[in-house]
Amino acid sequence: RRCVAEDYLHRSSGEKTPRIEQLLNDARADLERVFRSPGATRSAPLHQLGVLLMLEHDYSTALETLQRSLRLRQARDGDNPLDHAVLFRHGYTYRRMGQCCARMGRLKEAAECLARAQDIAMTTGHQRLLGEVKRDLDAWGLKQISELDARPTPEQT
């Protein structure tokens, strides 16, 4: 439901229709059921919740939620798991964290998260993730982290 709502939001240029609101509410209810289920893995629903929060433009809470998801994954799998299917999931969380940081104007952190996601995509050979990260980097003009070091901060301007 979250994916469908996100797709509809993209198609409607970000305008929330009653149908999209219903899908987002249903997705949140689904996630709450998962959280309450015994023995549920918490990192995946936290990731999905973070994306829901992004769709609601609550980027700071979304970032905290995604970071929590990543910490749980890293505690379970390690920072750099050898299993590419597991590492790939880390990549998508880094990508979403980068999107949150970019939307909050924290471009250096965004570039670092997206660079990590890009490294993971190249390591695992996941072309879809690689393409999505490259689109994100282009969307915010984040080619290299070193370029950001040369930019004046908002306090300097």
Side-chain angles (χ1 to χ4, degrees):
R1 292 179 209 222
R2 194 268 312 152
C3 292
V4 172
E6 186 175 15
D7 184 52
Y8 285 165
L9 270 174
H10 288 293
R11 291 179 191 201
S12 70
S13 300
E15 184 180 327
K16 287 186 184 176
T17 64
R19 176 70 179 135
I20 292 171
E21 285 289 343
Q22 184 62 48
L23 283 168
L24 290 171
N25 290 337
D26 290 346
R28 188 178 292 276
D30 290 344
L31 288 172
E32 288 172 3
R33 274 195 300 281
V34 169
F35 282 127
R36 287 191 306 266
S37 65
T41 303
R42 302 286 190 244
S43 60
L46 278 172
H47 176 93
Q48 295 301 322
L49 180 60
V51 175
L52 273 175
L53 291 164
M54 286 176 63
L55 294 174
E56 295 171 355
H57 304 285
D58 186 355
Y59 301 114
S60 61
T61 307
L63 181 60
E64 291 171 13
T65 303
L66 291 164
Q67 288 169 333
R68 236 174 90 206
S69 171
L70 184 63
R71 282 192 304 272
L72 286 171
R73 282 188 173 139
Q74 289 171 331
R76 183 186 65 224
D77 307 327
D79 286 341
N80 211 1
L82 298 176
D83 180 349
H84 283 188
V86 171
L87 183 59
F88 172 62
R89 288 189 290 274
H90 290 226
Y92 264 103
T93 303
Y94 276 109
R95 175 182 174 245
R96 294 299 192 167
M97 288 168 46
Q99 289 174 328
C100 285
C101 289
R103 292 195 185 274
M104 294 185 322
R106 295 161 52 179
L107 297 182
K108 184 170 182 174
E109 290 173 65
E112 290 168 350
C113 290
L114 291 169
R116 179 68 177 126
Q118 188 174 35
D119 289 345
I120 290 170
M122 291 188 310
T123 298
T124 60
H126 282 88
Q127 294 304 308
R128 180 178 171 200
L129 175 58
L130 187 59
E132 290 174 1
V133 169
K134 286 182 178 180
R135 277 193 304 276
D136 290 342
L137 288 167
D138 290 344
W140 286 291
L142 305 173
K143 297 293 182 194
Q144 296 177 346
I145 295 171
S146 60
E147 290 178 13
L148 293 171
D149 290 332
R151 289 186 189 176
T153 63
E155 296 84 30
Q156 294 171 333
T157 56

